[in-house]
Amino acid sequence: MDLKSRNSCFGGTQEVWSHASSATGTDMTFGLFLPSEAKDGPVPVLWYLSGLTCTHENAMTKAGAQAWAAEQGIALVFPDTSPRGAGVPDDAAFDLGQGAGFYLDATEEPWAKNFRMRDYVLNELPALLFGTFALDAERQSITGHSMGGHGALVLAMTAPERFLSVSAFAPICNPTQSEWGQKQFAAYLGEADKKVWMQNDATLLMADRGFDGPMLIDTGTEDQFLDLLMPEALASAIAKRRQQAIFRMQQGYDHSYFFVSTFIEEHIAFHAEALYA
Amino acid sequence: MDLKSRNSCFGGTQEVWSHASSATGTDMTFGLFLPSEAKDGPVPVLWYLSGLTCTHENAMTKAGAQAWAAEQGIALVFPDTSPRGAGVPDDAAFDLGQGAGFYLDATEEPWAKNFRMRDYVLNELPALLFGTFALDAERQSITGHSMGGHGALVLAMTAPERFLSVSAFAPICNPTQSEWGQKQFAAYLGEADKKVWMQNDATLLMADRGFDGPMLIDTGTEDQFLDLLMPEALASAIAKRRQQAIFRMQQGYDHSYFFVSTFIEEHIAFHAEALYA
């Protein structure tokens, strides 16, 4: 692993690392915030999955998460949103290819070789992190924004043994029914087996299995992408399942990081309750 | 004035405006955070002056200031660091010309026509702001980072009736003795009259007059630009003058926004004490 940068931040350190990934066949870069408590032993971990077009860097610099993670003694991991590089397939659209990995494992060409973000985030990166840093694998939670909020919900419901709590900011909720989903699933997963699509749709997973732990979802009433996010579908599925959840529509907020930064304190406090239970 | 964006943020709004400036002869863009209290009447204002290469946007998205300004009911103004545009003089170096206005009024060609950031920040922009928004002109304080920290110190000491308190993050302290200063002052102010240089040097102004109010200065011990910032010169001048001040070297922190975001809460609380006294 190569240390790209290390900055003191709220008594801990904000680090950026890159490493060769066997999951994606590329170099991958991630951000890691370690609170000061990590000097004394393993600390809990909150995964933050970012949205379309983001790298490891956006949330790390704009979400204001470190203030609250430092207060709670929680580490933050900021993975990239896809493999990148000259040899990696891409698409002219901002919502397909590089920067738009959707946290799934592609099965279709030309994406199948590199676009394995589920495997990367769920298997390879944790093995690397827990083998290297003072992080407690028994205390993990996950959150994310937009495409990353959807990723957080899907990973939590399909790897429930891994996460004690899940939250999301303005998540894509029902991608099999949205232009943010249908296009990407068709490209990455093909159209032959729609059952695979269901395994990657937060609303369908909620209907099918839910999550055995606390869940917090915030979406702004002025979000410019509400028609694509479809929070009503997830809210309905949560209610039908009687899923333990806090689902909030936040008056006046939009899709930006100004929305994320406003509520990140509450999300981190929410996860801290589960991580320190 | 043109509203470029408005985002709900911590119960208030983060706005970006642009307007034709007679001071600079260009369009200028600024960020403005209005806390929710501004709906009910004029609120105090904290000016944030940014550093080299920054626009109005950097601190607005990366400093994490809105959380604490909202808590204190204080508005934040984020001016740009220079005039910009195709017709505006520039230099190939990052530290001269566009993005490097140094918050002074240039007298030398080709800069004199547009590079009038002192006039813009001290006169034109306040007139515009206090005539348009629910801001209290009687309650203003000023802070900034690096070149902007220097700007905050110089403006506070040379327009003391305007500001109730001043703070700075990693300010350039003694530009007449530093490569961050000599080069720019020679270009913008010329070499004929070094007295004009003195009016734009925080350490020399401290020796000459100081500031009749509280002052807070934070600099990281691992700041990669310490040799250019020269905090020791300002610290010495503060002590010699018996200036009311808190001067801190923060262990382990560098020049980045991770440093600014770590201490912005304390700076805003510091200004709130003066603004609400």
Side-chain angles (χ1 to χ4, degrees):
Chain A
M1 281 211 297
D2 290 328
L3 179 65
K4 310 302 280 187
S5 66
R6 174 181 281 150
N7 301 90
S8 289
C9 186
F10 289 97
T13 56
Q14 177 60 57
E15 307 179 356
V16 175
W17 294 85
S18 74
H19 64 102
S21 163
S22 57
T24 66
T26 66
D27 284 347
M28 292 295 289
T29 302
F30 64 89
L32 173 67
F33 172 72
L34 291 171
S36 62
E37 288 83 352
K39 290 171 199 151
D40 305 320
V43 295
V45 179
L46 177 61
W47 294 78
Y48 184 105
L49 305 185
S50 290
L52 290 166
T53 76
C54 289
T55 69
H56 67 281
E57 195 178 21
N58 301 60
M60 191 184 104
T61 56
K62 300 204 296 186
Q66 294 92 346
W68 316 112
E71 192 167 293
Q72 301 282 1
I74 294 172
L76 300 169
V77 183
F78 303 97
D80 203 345
T81 57
S82 80
R84 294 176 191 278
V88 176
D90 201 3
D91 188 274
F94 76 94
D95 57 3
L96 187 67
Q98 297 187 32
F102 267 78
Y103 306 101
L104 53 73
D105 291 337
T107 53
E108 301 300 298
E109 297 306 333
W111 313 105
K113 180 169 174 236
N114 304 115
F115 282 72
R116 300 186 54 79
M117 287 301 291
R118 178 183 169 87
D119 185 26
Y120 173 70
V121 169
L122 214 48
N123 300 310
E124 185 180 27
L125 185 53
L128 191 67
L129 290 173
F130 294 110
T132 308
F133 301 100
L135 303 174
D136 183 354
E138 301 301 313
R139 290 184 293 166
Q140 296 182 64
S141 292
I142 190 163
T143 186
H145 175 221
S146 196
M147 174 182 76
H150 182 259
L153 292 166
V154 168
L155 293 188
M157 287 190 275
T158 56
E161 72 290 354
R162 194 67 75 79
F163 302 105
L164 297 172
S165 52
V166 59
S167 77
F169 299 87
I172 297 172
C173 292
N174 196 185
T176 62
Q177 301 301 314
S178 167
E179 285 177 39
W180 273 355
Q182 291 171 337
K183 170 185 173 178
Q184 294 83 0
F185 286 11
Y188 297 145
L189 304 172
E191 313 229 33
D193 183 2
K194 289 287 175 83
K195 270 183 293 187
V196 180
W197 287 37
M198 293 176 58
Q199 300 296 317
N200 288 283
D201 183 301
T203 292
L204 299 180
L205 286 166
M206 178 57 66
D208 180 57
R209 64 187 77 174
F211 176 70
D212 184 20
M215 176 178 285
L216 170 62
I217 298 167
D218 274 320
T219 305
T221 62
E222 301 302 315
D223 193 305
Q224 55 270 51
F225 302 113
L226 278 180
D227 290 350
L228 294 163
L229 302 177
M230 304 178 70
E232 64 282 3
L234 181 58
S236 172
I238 285 171
K240 282 188 188 152
R241 168 155 294 279
R242 281 68 165 138
Q243 165 73 42
Q244 170 188 3
I246 301 166
F247 176 91
R248 306 188 294 197
M249 296 299 296
Q250 297 284 6
Q251 180 70 29
Y253 287 87
D254 59 29
H255 201 67
S256 69
Y257 271 99
F258 295 114
F259 160 64
V260 175
S261 65
T262 299
F263 296 102
I264 192 86
E265 177 183 11
E266 292 179 26
H267 281 241
I268 291 176
F270 163 83
H271 290 295
E273 268 194 53
L275 292 166
Y276 288 115
Chain B
M1 281 210 297
D2 290 327
L3 178 65
K4 311 302 279 186
S5 66
R6 174 181 282 150
N7 302 90
S8 289
C9 186
F10 289 97
T13 56
Q14 176 62 55
E15 306 179 356
V16 175
W17 294 85
S18 74
H19 64 101
S21 163
S22 58
T24 66
T26 65
D27 283 347
M28 292 294 290
T29 302
F30 65 88
L32 173 66
F33 172 73
L34 291 171
S36 62
E37 289 83 352
K39 291 171 197 149
D40 305 321
V43 296
V45 179
L46 177 61
W47 294 78
Y48 184 105
L49 305 185
S50 289
L52 290 166
T53 77
C54 290
T55 69
H56 67 282
E57 194 177 23
N58 301 60
M60 191 183 103
T61 56
K62 301 205 296 185
Q66 294 93 344
W68 315 112
E71 191 166 295
Q72 302 281 0
I74 293 172
L76 301 169
V77 183
F78 303 98
D80 203 345
T81 58
S82 79
R84 294 176 191 279
V88 176
D90 202 3
D91 188 275
F94 76 95
D95 57 4
L96 187 66
Q98 296 187 32
F102 266 78
Y103 306 100
L104 54 73
D105 290 337
T107 53
E108 300 300 298
E109 297 307 333
W111 313 104
K113 180 169 173 238
N114 305 115
F115 282 73
R116 301 186 54 80
M117 287 302 291
R118 177 183 170 88
D119 186 25
Y120 173 71
V121 169
L122 214 48
N123 301 312
E124 185 181 28
L125 186 51
L128 190 68
L129 289 174
F130 293 112
T132 309
F133 301 100
L135 304 173
D136 183 353
E138 300 302 312
R139 290 185 291 166
Q140 297 183 64
S141 291
I142 191 164
T143 186
H145 175 220
S146 196
M147 173 183 77
H150 182 259
L153 292 166
V154 168
L155 293 188
M157 287 189 275
T158 56
E161 72 290 355
R162 194 67 74 79
F163 303 105
L164 297 172
S165 52
V166 59
S167 78
F169 298 87
I172 298 173
C173 293
N174 196 185
T176 62
Q177 302 301 315
S178 166
E179 285 176 39
W180 273 356
Q182 291 171 337
K183 169 185 173 179
Q184 294 83 0
F185 286 11
Y188 296 145
L189 304 173
E191 312 229 32
D193 183 2
K194 290 288 176 81
K195 268 183 294 186
V196 179
W197 287 35
M198 293 176 58
Q199 300 297 315
N200 287 285
D201 183 300
T203 293
L204 298 180
L205 287 167
M206 178 57 66
D208 180 57
R209 64 187 77 175
F211 177 70
D212 183 20
M215 176 179 284
L216 169 63
I217 297 166
D218 275 320
T219 305
T221 62
E222 300 303 314
D223 193 305
Q224 55 270 50
F225 303 113
L226 278 180
D227 290 349
L228 294 163
L229 303 177
M230 304 178 69
E232 63 283 2
L234 181 58
S236 171
I238 285 171
K240 281 188 190 152
R241 169 156 293 278
R242 280 68 167 139
Q243 165 72 42
Q244 169 188 4
I246 301 166
F247 176 91
R248 306 189 294 197
M249 296 298 296
Q250 297 284 5
Q251 180 71 29
Y253 288 87
D254 58 30
H255 201 68
S256 70
Y257 271 99
F258 295 114
F259 160 64
V260 174
S261 65
T262 299
F263 295 103
I264 192 85
E265 177 183 12
E266 292 180 27
H267 281 241
I268 290 177
F270 163 82
H271 290 295
E273 268 195 53
L275 292 166
Y276 289 114

